[in-house]
Amino acid sequence: MPSLISRTITLPAAKVRSILAIFSLKRFIGILAIGSTAFIVLLTAIDQMIAYYVKDAIYTDLSRLPYRPYGLLLGTSKYVAKGTPNTFYTNRIYAADTLFKRQKIDYLLLSGDNRTLQYNEPRTMARDLRKLGISDEFLFPDYAGFRTLDSIIRAKEIFRAEPMTIITQRFHCERALFIAKYHHIDAVCFVADSPYSASVTRVRESFARILMLWELFREKRPHFLGSPEPLPPPIQRATLSQSSEQ
């Protein structure tokens, strides 16, 4: 008889524990789903607000792009894998070449990563622009452009490259311009073509914008600054001034 009573008491307790476990799991899944949805909504809202804030400084039509003496070409890897060209890089190079030859800029500041002797974005960009016919006297490397924030701040504080035209893809334009506006830097951006595979990069960009806001909030500074190395004075502005005096 005692064993029967024990079994009668034990079985309901096991069922209760099982029900509670299922309820807790469902509750956890529900909270996780709500949290994930809220995060995605927040991520999208921040992404769109940044895009809207800088939209007036973004140009896709070359004929509407104002003349700026300095072009800031933001670096990226030339290859996505061994022997596979990175179309983002190629399109930025062609856009920079077009702006220079159409006299929308006088000089190009080539800002990128130089993490090793073998990996050197500014050197690679300079080499490819020389192949397109741009002389070294118009090309200035910035070997400490490790991140977009570094490139933008150094363009102003080290190279005195204002007013400037930033050259990169649209999603990158928006983040670069937001940093420039935050630091009161006179900049616009010309959009280089994006490859069809840009969707994955665009998702990653949304997370990069969250990191950007955090770094701006913390007043993050470039890894390296140093003494100013001003770029040469504008060519077209000097030419126009001389013409007006004659």
Side-chain angles (χ1 to χ4, degrees), residues 155-176:
K156 176 182 180 178
E157 297 190 13
I158 301 298
F159 298 98
R160 304 289 195 259
E162 284 188 281
M164 73 177 78
T165 297
I166 301 167
I167 305 163
T168 187
Q169 276 73 31
R170 187 181 189 95
F171 66 85
H172 199 190
C173 272
E174 292 168 355
R175 177 157 47 99

Side-chain angles (χ1 to χ4, degrees), residues 71-77 88-89 92-93 96 108-113 121 125 145 147-152 155 164-169 172-173 175-177 189:
L72 173 61
L73 180 57
L74 296 178
T76 187
S77 175
F88 287 99
Y89 171 89
R92 291 183 200 182
I93 291 292
L108 277 164
L109 178 60
L110 315 175
S111 184
D113 198 348
E121 291 175 356
M125 290 188 285
R147 301 171 305 150
T148 304
L149 183 141
D150 297 56
S151 296
I152 300 297
M164 73 177 78
T165 297
I166 301 167
I167 305 163
T168 187
Q169 276 73 31
H172 199 190
C173 272
R175 177 157 47 99
L177 283 171
C189 192

Side-chain angles (χ1 to χ4, degrees), residues 2 14 17 23-24 26 36 51 86 95 108 112 115 117-118 128 132 151 168 180 191 194 202 215 222 236:
R17 285 195 297 269
F23 177 76
S24 298
K26 286 183 177 181
S36 300
N86 181 359
L108 277 164
R115 69 187 75 168
L117 291 174
Q118 292 75 31
D128 289 339
L132 293 172
S151 296
T168 187
V191 175
S194 290
R202 193 65 187 78
E215 290 182 338
Q236 294 190 16

Side-chain angles (χ1 to χ4, degrees), residues 22-239:
I22 293 172
F23 177 76
S24 298
L25 181 60
K26 286 183 177 181
R27 185 178 180 185
F28 174 75
I29 292 172
I31 293 172
L32 190 63
I34 293 171
S36 300
T37 302
F39 179 73
I40 292 171
V41 170
L42 178 64
L43 203 67
T44 303
I46 290 173
D47 183 84
Q48 293 303 308
M49 284 189 292
I50 289 173
Y52 181 80
Y53 183 69
V54 301
K55 66 182 178 63
D56 292 337
I58 294 178
Y59 292 84
T60 56
D61 185 350
L62 188 62
S63 64
R64 293 187 156 196
L65 179 70
Y67 159 75
R68 296 288 180 102
Y70 306 107
L72 173 61
L73 180 57
L74 296 178
T76 187
S77 175
K78 184 174 181 177
Y79 299 99
V80 293
K82 188 174 182 180
T84 304
N86 181 359
T87 313
F88 287 99
Y89 171 89
T90 304
N91 291 348
R92 291 183 200 182
I93 291 292
Y94 285 135
D97 179 62
T98 300
L99 264 58
F100 179 82
K101 291 177 178 175
R102 292 283 294 272
Q103 298 184 348
K104 293 293 185 176
I105 54 176
D106 295 331
Y107 304 100
L108 277 164
L109 178 60
L110 315 175
S111 184
D113 198 348
N114 176 29
R115 69 187 75 168
T116 67
L117 291 174
Q118 292 75 31
Y119 187 86
N120 190 317
E121 291 175 356
R123 183 178 62 193
T124 302
M125 290 188 285
R127 183 181 62 225
D128 289 339
L129 288 166
R130 282 196 298 269
K131 290 179 181 178
L132 293 172
I134 301 179
S135 173
D136 273 333
E137 64 182 304
F138 303 108
L139 303 175
F140 295 85
D142 176 13
Y143 297 110
F146 302 117
R147 301 171 305 150
T148 304
L149 183 141
D150 297 56
S151 296
I152 300 297
I153 295 177
R154 283 177 56 83
K156 176 182 180 178
E157 297 190 13
I158 301 298
F159 298 98
R160 304 289 195 259
E162 284 188 281
M164 73 177 78
T165 297
I166 301 167
I167 305 163
T168 187
Q169 276 73 31
R170 187 181 189 95
F171 66 85
H172 199 190
C173 272
E174 292 168 355
R175 177 157 47 99
L177 283 171
F178 192 89
I179 295 170
K181 283 181 176 291
Y182 182 86
H183 287 280
H184 308 290
I185 297 171
D186 187 358
V188 297
C189 192
F190 181 72
V191 175
D193 290 338
S194 290
Y196 292 112
S197 60
S199 57
V200 175
T201 304
R202 193 65 187 78
V203 172
R204 187 174 59 187
E205 173 65 19
S206 297
F207 290 94
R209 295 184 184 195
I210 298 295
L211 177 60
M212 173 198 69
L213 292 176
W214 174 245
E215 290 182 338
L216 292 177
F217 174 76
R218 294 180 57 221
E219 299 292 337
K220 184 81 171 179
R221 300 292 290 167
H223 287 295
F224 298 107
L225 280 174
S227 302
E229 302 174 29
L231 298 187
I235 296 173
Q236 294 190 16
R237 187 178 300 174
T239 302

